Amino acid sequence: MAAAFRLRRRLTGFLPGVKGGLYSWKHAQTFPEVILVEGLFDYAVLWQAGFHNVTCSLGVHLNVRQFRQLCDAPRTVYLAFDADSNGSGQQAAQCLSQRLRDRGIHACRVSLPDGHDPNSFFVQGGDARQFRSLLEAARP
């Protein structure tokens, strides 16, 4: 029982979730530009495409620790949230973008094609060059 508790405490340091931090933050924070995605599949497909400045929050609602991580140094944060049909991903990106800008962080929203997340963008034939174009077109 005690060993399971210690393991859980150690995992909380890098697993996203209610109390955990951003996934793979130690690596991502070394870049001046960070891509924040919602899910681990989104993270994995971007990493595989060569975007090693990616991190994941497991959802659009960041906890206090995750938000503080993004604000721990001057950087640009690209919010590549899902382009859900109900608009929830983009609404969350807009709110988070404003909160980050209020803290002095340059934040930009990535506009994915309707109905896509980063994973489905690549699964449906998108490539790294096209995704880079989406990053370049991102706006506050």
Side-chain angles (χ1 to χ4, degrees):
M1 181 75 149
F5 177 75
R6 282 193 305 273
L7 177 61
R8 187 169 147 235
R9 265 188 53 193
R10 285 190 15 231
L11 288 176
T12 301
F14 57 85
L15 286 178
V18 176
K19 294 183 182 178
L22 296 165
Y23 185 79
S24 190
W25 181 245
K26 288 272 190 206
H27 180 77
Q29 77 180 102
T30 64
F31 294 91
E33 298 178 340
V34 173
I35 304 167
L36 176 64
V37 297
E38 292 182 49
L40 291 174
F41 284 112
D42 301 326
Y43 170 89
V45 75
L46 284 174
W47 182 271
Q48 185 175 7
F51 297 94
H52 296 169
N53 58 330
V54 64
T55 187
C56 168
S57 59
L58 277 189
V60 295
H61 301 290
L62 276 65
N63 64 41
V64 172
R65 181 176 183 183
Q66 292 170 331
F67 185 76
R68 285 182 183 156
Q69 285 174 314
L70 289 175
C71 298
D72 69 0
R75 67 174 47 89
T76 298
V77 177
Y78 290 96
L79 305 171
F81 288 177
D82 301 0
D84 305 304
S85 59
N86 65 6
S88 61
Q90 292 305 298
Q91 289 172 348
Q94 184 174 357
C95 291
L96 179 56
S97 176
Q98 184 59 53
R99 287 180 58 209
L100 289 168
R101 285 193 311 275
D102 290 346
R103 294 286 303 267
I105 301 298
H106 185 247
C108 298
R109 293 175 289 131
V110 178
S111 294
L112 292 160
D114 288 343
H116 283 282
D117 58 25
N119 181 50
S120 66
F121 175 80
F122 281 91
V123 168
Q124 296 295 318
D127 60 28
R129 182 189 54 76
Q130 292 169 324
F131 192 79
R132 173 124 357 251
S133 293
L134 295 176
L135 292 175
E136 291 169 0
R139 62 187 193 285

